[in-house]
Amino acid sequence: MTTQTAPTAADTPITPAADRRASFIGLPENIARATATGGGALTVVSAFLAWTWTSAFPGDLTVYGYPGGLQWLVLVAGVLTTLFGLASYGVKGLGWLVPAGADAAIKLSALAAFATAWYTIGAISFQLGGLVNLEPGGYVAALATLAALIGALALPFDRPDTLPADPEDSGLDQFKHNASNGWTVFKGGFAATRTPAPARVLPAYAEILIITAVLALGLLVFTYGITTDYDELFLGFLLTAGLGFAAIGKAGLIARVSALSARHRNVTMVGAFVAAAAFPFTQSDDQYATIGVNILIFATVALGLNIVVGLAGLLDLGYVAFLGVGAYAAAMVSGSPSSPFGLHLPFWAAMLVGAVASMIFGVLIGAPTLRLRGDYLAIVTLGFGEIFRIAVLNLDGISGPDVTNGSAGISAIPNLNIFGFDFGAEHSIGGFTLGRFANYFFLMLLVTLVVVVVFRRSAESRIGRAWVAIREDETAALAMGINGFRVKLIAFALGATLAGLAGAVQAHVTYTVTPEQYQFAHAIPPNSAFLLAAVVLGGMGTISGPLIGGALLFLIPNKLQFLSELQLFAFGVALILLMRLRPEGLIANRRNQLEFHEKDEKDDAPATLTKAGA
């Protein structure tokens, strides 16, 4: 019988970095990089050429020297591809953009340019009747984006090192570091890693300027997305924005900006609200300000739900009912002629009535049910949501007491008038005319600020730490002396109160509150299903996550109404892809990110060869 001994780390040469990297297409790395970068630059040039001969296709893509419509999106994707390509060559000043490496970012930005350009060409051909309607610029864009994508796919990707481990070697005493390319290889079986380039320390004012520029860019992207005036442009915006965001994330730029904002949290929060407050000044009428105020309502309610789901870990499927309780309570005391009480309280009092009513319902529902866990709690909260809707539907004077007017709801809710400021009238500020919905946008922005402050202070308090402990392991938290029932009831009541505040504003914005507005699921939010999806999509346990998730989940269904029956199908497919590719959400909580990707890290761990005998 012979015995074979596994090679030790000392006997195994360390494989050069280039040999441990592979690509999908067998092109030399220098040629692939040049092709991707050159294709990105040519994509930028193609955006300044005419793509079609007629202005019948929306956006007017017939002009030489000035992009229009979808050409702007292709231009942005081409600029990203070019910048990432130049950064991969080590061009001075661009290294700050790719702290985690440029290759993965090039792939995604090139894919964004390719998908948007070819989608545009396909839409032109389908709508106008064939490829014959393309001008030379369209063909240039198609070939340039294809070349950039081929070059990007030919770039090598990092393959984990699988050096065999020596059972008698700790693996910590020998390593090799190549400072030129950032590779660190540990002998003894540790995987090779690409270490991000350290960020150069910037002065505080420079970091604040960067944060300001990012917030301004965010306002520009949001305004562009919300004001897209035709369907093809919005679909192209989704393609470019989604893949572009992923490319920036792969480059490590989002993590770097997040680190800057963490060092300047108060500046970032104030800057974010200033940027949001600037949105109504970018609009000439109330067409898109209407969507803006409804996005704020939906996103604020999602942030309140994040206390219940993201911090305390309680699955609430009837949360929209608390929004309805606040809206109905405020509507009944705000001077509506259809209200059975005949009260007309000032707005601050109506808001308090809505918030307190929602809090009382939160306590009444939570007290007998919060001893349940998991799916059982979800079923009970789902039942509460349906009970609320059916109850207000039947309180019509026929099936029950005349309190809510049944399906007609509480209508003709008067506009607010606070300190002589009429929210229903137009006002001129600095030469800008602000309409009714712009006025309510500012009011809702103040409510959002209150909710953000409450969420932040609560999450950082002792009760917030208790919520997280309950979420992670309720049994262990109870063993450590945490009163689980009391802690969960506080989360439930606080979340309901914040939803009631938003509901009081919603009642005045929509003029009317009806039972149909507060279903579990329907095509247009707010509803419980979309609220929960906004929390999961944005990132549980974070402040900005539900705000961004709520904005997306309100904006996208409103813009995709032309899909009619396919709208929910497209929404479902998008959620499946997101949960597969980024289960921790768009703005990830660090703890959740580590938990979701724990399996990936284990899968990347190299195999260990042990001694075997034959």
Side-chain angles (χ1 to χ4, degrees), residues 113-489:
F114 174 82
T116 308
W118 284 67
Y119 160 73
T120 304
I121 292 169
I124 292 173
S125 302
F126 176 79
Q127 191 164 326
L128 300 182
L131 292 173
V132 68
N133 294 284
L134 292 178
E135 285 289 290
Y139 294 105
V140 172
L143 295 177
T145 54
L146 179 60
L149 182 62
I150 291 175
L153 294 178
L155 289 174
F157 60 86
D158 301 338
R159 175 178 294 166
D161 189 19
T162 55
L163 293 176
D166 184 357
E168 299 177 359
D169 187 0
S170 67
L172 296 175
D173 55 344
Q174 301 181 51
F175 68 93
K176 179 181 178 180
H177 177 69
N178 186 342
S180 63
N181 57 21
W183 282 95
T184 301
V185 182
F186 288 92
K187 296 175 68 176
F190 287 88
T193 59
R194 183 91 178 192
T195 57
R200 187 178 63 177
V201 178
L202 298 175
Y205 73 87
E207 294 181 344
I208 294 175
L209 286 176
I210 292 174
I211 293 172
T212 304
V214 171
L215 292 174
L217 181 62
L219 174 63
L220 177 63
V221 172
F222 175 76
T223 303
Y224 187 91
I226 204 173
T227 56
T228 50
D229 51 0
Y230 55 94
D231 303 333
E232 294 87 351
L233 182 60
F234 185 73
L235 289 176
F237 170 77
L238 289 182
L239 283 173
T240 306
L243 293 172
F245 181 84
I248 294 172
K250 282 292 185 181
L253 192 56
I254 292 178
R256 178 161 285 180
V257 173
S258 298
L260 295 181
S261 62
R263 288 202 291 270
H264 305 278
R265 294 177 61 185
N266 293 330
V267 172
T268 303
M269 181 179 293
V270 172
F273 279 93
V274 169
F279 169 72
F281 294 99
T282 66
Q283 308 301 308
S284 57
D285 54 44
D286 267 353
Q287 179 182 0
Y288 299 115
T290 307
I291 300 177
V293 68
N294 283 295
I295 284 176
L296 275 182
I297 294 172
F298 183 66
T300 303
V301 178
L303 185 58
L305 178 61
N306 197 28
I307 293 178
V308 181
V309 177
L311 293 182
L314 306 173
L315 185 55
D316 189 348
L317 297 182
Y319 189 76
V320 74
F322 297 121
L323 176 69
V325 170
Y328 266 95
M332 290 177 182
V333 298
S334 293
S336 169
S338 58
S339 170
F341 302 110
L343 295 176
H344 192 175
L345 300 180
F347 177 65
W348 63 267
M351 283 193 70
L352 287 179
V353 169
V356 171
S358 294
M359 181 187 68
I360 292 173
F361 270 86
V363 173
L364 292 177
I365 298 302
T369 62
L370 285 178
R371 299 188 188 277
L372 300 174
R373 298 186 186 182
D375 299 340
Y376 301 100
L377 178 61
I379 292 172
V380 170
T381 55
L382 175 61
F384 164 66
E386 288 302 296
I387 288 171
F388 165 77
R389 184 181 62 83
I390 294 173
V392 296
L393 188 62
N394 289 323
L395 295 177
D396 56 356
I398 300 175
S399 302
D402 187 10
V403 178
T404 63
N405 292 327
S407 59
I410 307 295
S411 59
I413 301 171
N415 283 304
L416 294 176
N417 193 307
I418 301 177
F419 301 119
F421 185 88
D422 186 359
F423 280 73
E426 290 187 348
H427 299 274
S428 295
I429 300 177
F432 294 92
T433 300
L434 302 178
R436 176 180 183 272
F437 287 101
N439 300 329
Y440 280 107
F441 182 91
F442 289 119
L443 176 63
M444 193 60 219
L445 195 60
L446 291 177
V447 175
T448 304
L449 178 60
V450 171
V451 174
V452 167
V453 171
V454 170
F455 182 95
R456 177 178 169 182
R457 301 299 295 175
S458 300
E460 295 175 351
S461 67
R462 183 176 64 178
I463 193 71
R465 293 192 294 272
W467 287 336
V468 174
I470 290 289
R471 182 192 70 195
E472 294 301 318
D473 193 327
E474 184 172 351
T475 303
L478 295 177
M480 295 301 294
I482 295 176
N483 188 331
F485 174 76
R486 182 175 65 87
V487 166
K488 291 192 291 185
L489 187 60

Side-chain angles (χ1 to χ4, degrees), residues 582-596:
R582 194 173 176 84
E584 68 272 22
L586 296 176
I587 308 297
N589 177 277
R590 182 60 178 164
R591 183 194 300 270
N592 293 338
Q593 191 174 31
L594 292 175
E595 289 177 356
F596 278 116

